[in-house]
Amino acid sequence: MSLDLDARQRAMLEEMHVHVWWPESGEGAVSAAAPVAAPGPVRAAPKNIAEAMAAAPELAAAHASTPPATTIVARASAGDIEGMDWPALQQAVAGCVACALSKSRKNTVFGVGPAAPADGRPPQADWLIIGEAPGENEDIQGEPFVGQAGKLLDNMLKAIGVSRHGAEDGQPHKAACIVNVLKCRPPGNRNPAPEEVAQCAPYLRRQVELLQPKVIIAMGRFAVQSLLQDTVPDVVATPLGRLRGKVHQYHGVPVVVTYHPAYLLRSLPEKAKAWADLCLAMDVWKKRKAAETAQLAVQAEIG
Ligand code: URA
């Protein structure tokens, strides 16, 4: 695919050590998308345990008696989560005490993206970026990818006109929501435990169902394994590199696999591969956007 990038975006890619051929213009050029929902954080609901407890005394009682380790204490059932709208899902995550991570976290990290409308619908975002779990800074700020890896991620997304804030610098951007597999920080940034991933999975699934993104980018092996465990045989044993370069599916949404930005910070040569992954995701987005536009045109004609 080709991208029609401005000087600022090209500079960003240079900074990322990504060298690509720049078309002057052309059919494949990415057109400026209409501005999406007004910028602002997704999180309007209580985001830390104290806020959630104040709103729900029964959760406070459950949390106070949470035993150590990963014993399950309280979480809405998967069935309940399936029926939640966006604000209810935010509340459920904010008050979740399903595993021991609720004891050590400072904040839950639900996700970030353009502002959700006030009527319970999710934010409008065609792109969903999925990482692993909050780190120290994310735990403190309650927002995903706010550290060095987040800066790299934002720069890479900006280079293709995508942003967690919708419109920035007067430039039209395609809106992205950014979430993690785990909504709470594993202490010491250790890897997520399988039972923690399992406890959080219904939240992630509901986020996808509600957002209905046109494309998902799964970053790193935990996101990839969580999303593709039902569709890719032996995904745990499959090297991430072998899953790149093709379009997978998660509940009807196309998934593109790429490296985690924290890995890219340590491994400069892989940045060019990550850029290829973003280009593949952009191809997917463009096709789905075109199909949607055509369908809307037909509907308008039918009346
Ligand atoms: N790494 C992740 O996977 N997620 C974050 O939010 C931050 C770092």
Side-chain angles (χ1 to χ4, degrees), residues 109 131-135 138 143-146 149 180 260:
V109 181
E132 178 180 314
E138 290 77 18
E143 179 170 330
F145 287 100
V146 292
N180 285 309
H260 193 283

Side-chain angles (χ1 to χ4, degrees), residues 12 15-16 147-158 260-266 271:
M12 248 170 221
E15 202 181 289
M16 284 156 41
Q148 283 308 309
K151 268 191 203 131
L152 174 61
L153 174 62
D154 282 343
N155 279 343
M156 294 180 74
L157 292 177
K158 272 188 204 168
H260 193 283
Y263 170 72
L264 295 177
L265 286 173
R266 302 190 300 271
K271 284 186 178 170

Side-chain angles (χ1 to χ4, degrees), residues 27-269:
E27 257 179 47
V30 176
S31 63
V36 289
V42 174
R43 297 166 290 105
K47 64 182 169 52
N48 60 38
I49 196 81
E51 281 179 31
M53 297 302 157
E58 72 280 5
L59 282 175
H63 190 255
S65 61
T66 304
T70 50
T71 308
I72 297 163
V73 175
R75 193 206 65 192
S77 72
D80 286 344
I81 292 171
E82 273 170 30
M84 287 178 179
D85 67 7
W86 195 254
L89 190 63
Q90 284 182 308
Q91 294 268 2
V93 167
C96 183
V97 287
C99 74
L101 297 185
S102 62
K103 284 288 204 182
S104 53
R105 74 181 179 222
K106 292 189 170 64
N107 288 294
T108 55
V109 181
F110 183 73
V112 68
D119 59 7
R121 281 180 301 134
Q124 241 197 314
D126 280 0
W127 294 69
L128 178 60
I129 320 294
I130 303 181
E132 178 180 314
E136 187 179 11
N137 293 322
E138 290 77 18
D139 183 44
I140 292 167
Q141 296 185 38
E143 179 170 330
F145 287 100
V146 292
Q148 283 308 309
K151 268 191 203 131
L152 174 61
L153 174 62
D154 282 343
N155 279 343
M156 294 180 74
L157 292 177
K158 272 188 204 168
I160 55 165
V162 173
S163 165
R164 67 173 83 190
H165 301 300
E168 274 182 2
D169 309 332
Q171 300 282 329
H173 281 77
K174 293 163 214 76
C177 278
I178 304 176
V179 305
N180 285 309
V181 171
L182 291 193
K183 311 306 182 200
C184 297
R185 179 193 182 209
N189 297 345
R190 65 160 166 75
N191 286 339
E195 58 273 26
E196 292 159 357
V197 173
Q199 285 300 323
C200 262
Y203 297 133
L204 180 62
R205 167 128 190 230
R206 189 64 186 151
Q207 285 180 310
V208 174
E209 275 168 359
L210 289 169
L211 288 167
Q212 285 298 311
K214 289 194 172 52
V215 63
I216 292 174
I217 300 180
M219 302 189 306
R221 71 189 167 104
F222 285 97
V224 169
Q225 286 169 15
S226 295
L227 296 178
L228 304 185
Q229 61 187 340
D230 295 335
T231 52
V232 174
D234 212 7
V235 69
V236 174
T238 308
L240 190 139
R242 293 246 305 272
L243 299 168
R244 293 182 48 250
K246 52 190 121 170
V247 181
H248 304 269
Q249 295 288 320
Y250 176 78
H251 296 280
V253 182
V255 177
V256 171
V257 166
T258 194
Y259 296 110
H260 193 283
Y263 170 72
L264 295 177
L265 286 173
R266 302 190 300 271
S267 181
L268 277 185

